[in-house]
Amino acid sequence: NAGVTQTPKFQVLKTGQSMTLQCAQDMNHNSMYWYRQDPGMGLRLIYYSASEGTTDKGEVPNGYNVSRLNKREFSLRLESAAPSQTSVYFCASSWYRQQETQYFGPGTRLLVL
Amino acid sequence: KQEVTQIPAALSVPEGENLVLNCSFTDSAIYNLQWFRQDPGKGLTSLLLIQSSQREQTSGRLNASLDKSSGRSTLYIAASQPGDSATYLCAVHNTDKLIFGTGTRLQVFP
């Protein structure tokens, strides 16, 4: 039981490049989330998926897109990376709603030059 | 707009001390409150979740309390150990999102 896994662990991009961050969970959770963590800002919600087939914007969605590929997988895409997107990205999941305990992956460190 | 504040930002204590971490929030209309631990370069580990109808939750040496009316929660760590060194984050569940504080970085020295 791996819990929540994320790939890659670390990535360096040049401004304007695109990439997809992958997330998978093996706990049969319905809801999945993407957060970013920046110094002094705490964690902020980018997008979430309450259930398979649905996605909704969080607090800071601009510059990102998401895909809930199936119940297990939730990907985050940066179409044209900007230096302001340098951050640590965390994926999380919960049984059903945001109001329940969320379980986090180990994070992806992204540096945009 | 809900705001979550954690004071102090950093704390250094000798091993064996009992300590209290504080979390305050501005909007008392919350579903619940969750405490997390984050080790350097790692993800978040959930420690305790307190429902809005509860006053406290306990897990081992950890005890979390919640006072919705005053907008406060505390995390009490008994008999601290060097292995407790980490950043502790609190987060409140509002209607559709989890709002995080910026954390308290705890160092327990031998």
Side-chain angles (χ1 to χ4, degrees):
Chain A
N1 189 342
V4 180
T5 56
Q6 293 183 236
T7 55
K9 287 187 171 60
F10 181 70
Q11 184 72 46
V12 179
L13 292 178
K14 294 181 180 177
T15 297
Q17 287 185 318
S18 63
M19 79 163 294
T20 299
L21 283 66
Q22 306 287 353
C23 173
Q25 52 89 10
D26 61 2
M27 296 175 282
N28 203 33
H29 286 170
N30 290 290
S31 300
M32 298 184 73
Y33 317 88
W34 276 107
Y35 294 90
R36 60 177 290 174
Q37 184 177 36
D38 302 291
M41 300 289 291
L43 278 87
R44 292 177 293 169
L45 183 65
I46 305 171
Y47 270 94
Y48 67 99
S49 171
S51 61
E52 187 178 354
T54 68
T55 60
D56 287 285
K57 294 179 181 179
E59 186 181 354
V60 288
N62 292 342
Y64 305 95
N65 284 302
V66 291
S67 296
R68 184 72 184 268
L69 305 171
N70 47 56
K71 191 172 184 179
R72 290 186 63 249
E73 298 171 291
F74 189 37
S75 62
L76 179 71
R77 182 162 178 82
L78 286 72
E79 291 291 351
S80 179
S84 61
Q85 295 178 304
T86 293
S87 187
V88 182
Y89 291 85
F90 289 101
C91 177
S93 68
S94 66
W95 275 110
Y96 183 61
R97 301 171 303 172
Q98 292 207 44
Q99 292 82 11
E100 298 176 355
T101 300
Q102 294 190 18
Y103 297 86
F104 283 74
T108 293
R109 295 180 179 275
L110 176 66
L111 175 62
V112 183
L113 302 174
Chain B
K1 178 185 176 185
Q2 178 74 271
E3 293 183 3
V4 181
T5 304
Q6 291 185 249
I7 294 174
L11 183 63
S12 183
V13 301
E15 181 177 6
E17 269 203 13
N18 301 324
L19 56 99
V20 175
L21 306 182
N22 297 296
C23 173
S24 61
F25 47 95
T26 55
D27 184 353
S28 62
I30 64 171
Y31 283 95
N32 54 45
L33 184 144
Q34 196 165 357
W35 281 94
F36 293 89
R37 169 186 172 134
Q38 185 175 27
D39 293 286
K42 304 290 186 183
L44 281 68
T45 300
S46 179
L47 297 173
L48 291 163
L49 185 147
I50 312 176
Q51 299 292 347
S52 61
S53 58
Q54 295 176 316
R55 297 285 294 188
E56 64 180 74
Q57 277 282 357
T58 298
S59 176
R61 294 183 294 109
L62 305 179
N63 176 277
S65 68
L66 175 63
D67 184 343
K68 274 181 50 177
S69 61
S70 66
R72 293 182 181 179
S73 176
T74 61
L75 180 66
Y76 175 82
I77 303 176
S80 58
Q81 303 170 358
D84 294 329
S85 297
T87 296
Y88 291 81
L89 298 161
C90 73
V92 297
H93 285 98
N94 271 26
T95 52
D96 62 350
K97 62 180 68 171
L98 192 58
I99 310 294
F100 282 84
T102 52
T104 295
R105 189 171 67 254
L106 172 66
Q107 182 181 10
V108 181
F109 55 90

